[in-house]
Amino acid sequence: MLNNIINKLPDGRAENELAHYLRKLPEHESSALMETLLKHNSDVVRESSLRLIPRVIRDRSVLIKFLDMGLEKKNVSGTKPWIKATVSGLGYKKLLQHMKKVAETNPDWILYAWYQLVPLVIKEAPEKIQYLQEIEKIIDAHLCNELKGSWLRTKEAVPI
């Protein structure tokens, strides 16, 4: 049954069926299945799975894990769907607090997310801009020298 639904993605009905199926499962099982779907070879399945996260996953630690999966990819254009998928469950404050922690340990992840992150926060949560400023300072202090030039160009291209 599950494979039949997955084969029909990105059809809206198939996504609804999958969401319904996942919501019936215990949280840990639906989280594990979502993680598998997010690692699927098919872009279509991954994109559908990202759309399902806000409808299925409520556990903040799982949302953080999925956000990290997206950030870890270091894909400038691919970061936005991961942020959008997790922010509805986390809220911008929790999302940005987590990004501050990530900036200390993996500042390069935030470097690649910056192009998408700044416009999203400015548009959807302008009252949280101070978090972006704090993240920017952390990256300035922690980023390796090889990526400093790229970071400076990114900050100029996407100012807070």
Side-chain angles (χ1 to χ4, degrees):
M1 178 190 126
L2 186 58
N3 282 334
N4 290 339
I5 295 171
I6 292 170
N7 289 335
K8 294 178 188 174
L9 294 174
D11 178 69
R13 281 191 183 152
E15 282 187 15
N16 288 337
E17 284 180 49
L18 185 55
H20 182 70
Y21 175 81
L22 289 166
R23 282 193 297 263
K24 284 182 175 180
L25 297 174
E27 181 84 19
H28 69 279
E29 287 182 33
S30 64
S31 300
L33 183 53
M34 283 296 294
E35 184 174 353
T36 301
L37 293 172
L38 290 167
K39 294 177 179 178
H40 198 278
N41 291 335
S42 167
D43 289 340
V44 170
V45 172
R46 284 193 310 271
E47 290 166 9
S48 290
S49 300
L50 284 169
R51 286 192 295 274
L52 290 176
I53 288 174
R55 297 172 57 189
V56 176
I57 304 299
R58 298 285 170 247
D59 184 329
R60 286 188 172 164
S61 63
V62 174
L63 291 168
I64 293 288
K65 180 181 180 179
F66 290 163
L67 175 62
D68 285 347
M69 284 173 63
L71 294 173
E72 185 178 34
K73 293 180 182 294
K74 299 189 231 179
N75 180 337
V76 173
S77 60
T79 304
K80 187 175 181 177
W82 292 85
I83 293 170
K84 296 284 276 181
T86 55
V87 75
S88 63
L90 293 172
Y92 274 97
K93 182 178 179 180
K94 292 266 186 226
L95 179 122
L96 292 169
Q97 286 173 338
H98 177 68
M99 291 222 171
K100 275 178 62 176
K101 292 177 190 171
V102 170
E104 292 173 0
T105 56
N106 296 304
D108 54 322
W109 291 9
I110 306 300
L111 165 65
Y112 291 98
W114 199 253
Y115 276 105
Q116 305 297 330
L117 182 63
V118 172
L120 269 175
V121 172
I122 289 171
K123 180 182 176 190
E124 296 183 11
E127 69 280 2
K128 305 293 185 217
I129 288 183
Q130 76 275 8
Y131 288 100
L132 289 176
Q133 293 164 339
E134 293 169 16
I135 291 168
E136 182 179 36
K137 288 177 186 174
I138 292 169
I139 294 173
D140 286 340
H142 290 86
L143 193 65
C144 66
N145 288 332
E146 300 89 52
L147 294 174
K148 293 254 185 203
S150 178
W151 173 237
L152 291 174
R153 288 188 300 277
T154 301
K155 287 194 310 185
E156 287 175 11
V158 188
I160 299 175

